[in-house]
Amino acid sequence: MSKAFWLILLMLSTNAHAASPAETLQNYTAQAKQENPTFGTSSSSKGDVFFHATRQHSNGDKVSCATCHTDNPKQNGKTRANKEILPMATSANAQRFTDLAKTEKWFRRNCQDVLERTCTAQEKSDFIAYLLSIK
Amino acid sequence: MLIRKTLQLGTLIGAIFATGYLLADDHEGGGNRSLPIVSNQKWQAECASCHMLYHPGLLPERSWRKLMGGLDKHFGENASLDKATQQEILQFLATNSADHSGSRRSAKIASSIPAKSVPIRVTETAYFQGKHDEISPATWKSQKIGSQSNCIACHSGAEKGNFSEDNVRIPR
């Protein structure tokens, strides 16, 4: 084994935020159980409904996750300022849900922008389950 | 006859070059109109995830302070950051802001803003408006531009701080 290999392995293992999408899902599922002891398991079909559900924002706009991410999570989305957003589905974007801090940052922002409240851990885990389930 | 035609052609070519030279006021003094090349990884990653990367030299320090102090309501969106990242980016923006950047374009932007005014949109500054007064509302709204905040639609070097008139290409 070369020195470079071990160096890379060391760097990967010391990166605190690195996680697989499945580990990120597990993290939110565990949080959901803490929030609600009766919570069973995450539901990709509930996540599907959550992703596409449109609501009336207090500013008058109709908004949903799909407003920026499009109805098909395997496609690129677009921010309101016209910047490309890489696909949300892990089958189309391997980087998605591999950084817990980043995932939490975007939930914090986008739950406010779409729902005007924070999301529950259950909603987050269903949402990720849906995006991991898309082949 | 041939001499007259040659003279006419020469005058025409001369006029075209002279017009181009006069219009491209970036030549004046040959100075450093380009905003300085600056770099900060967090600035690039965080500020450019939703929109183009705006150069710190486009607004004075007081504007960046106001903007970075209201990220939870950033032009209608929640763009909040953790405290450490927010502080690092603000420090970077302040250090390289229009009132500190040293470039002539930055100095002109800064001096076009009244002392008591704290704009958080570059498009609100008198400098921006003066430079774009010939652009029609229809051009701004065209599909490839969309809004005045989309600098890179016409200034391909905008994210690097290059707003030279020579490089402007208005998409049709």
Side-chain angles (χ1 to χ4, degrees), chain A residues 8-39:
Chain A
I8 288 165
L9 201 68
L10 184 72
M11 281 165 69
L12 286 174
S13 63
T14 53
N15 184 344
H17 295 313
S20 71
E23 283 166 353
T24 302
L25 176 58
Q26 275 169 16
N27 170 67
Y28 284 108
T29 309
Q31 274 186 42
K33 281 193 178 122
Q34 279 198 334
E35 262 181 24
N36 173 12
T38 65
F39 173 77

Side-chain angles (χ1 to χ4, degrees), chain B residues 135-143 145-146 170-172:
Chain B
I135 311 290
S136 74
T139 303
W140 288 120
K141 288 203 184 81
S142 74
Q143 214 196 337
I145 301 175
I170 297 174
R172 300 289 173 196

Side-chain angles (χ1 to χ4, degrees), chain A residues 59 68 79-85 105-106 108-110 112-113, chain B residues 46 48-52 76-82 145 150 159:
Chain A
N59 69 10
C68 293
T79 69
R80 292 186 175 105
N82 222 25
K83 187 117 184 176
E84 296 258 281
I85 308 172
K105 177 179 80 181
W106 286 106
R108 186 184 75 229
R109 293 172 168 182
N110 294 354
Q112 279 301 332
D113 280 341
Chain B
E46 298 297 345
S49 51
C50 298
H51 54 67
M52 65 158 276
E77 300 216 14
N78 186 326
S80 55
L81 290 166
D82 63 85
I145 301 175
N150 191 12
E159 293 190 320

Side-chain angles (χ1 to χ4, degrees), chain B residues 95-117:
Chain B
T95 305
N96 299 289
S97 61
D99 34 2
H100 302 298
S101 97
S103 97
R104 298 208 300 132
R105 196 185 301 283
S106 282
K108 286 187 176 186
I109 294 171
S111 66
S112 83
I113 302 169
K116 283 186 180 160
S117 158

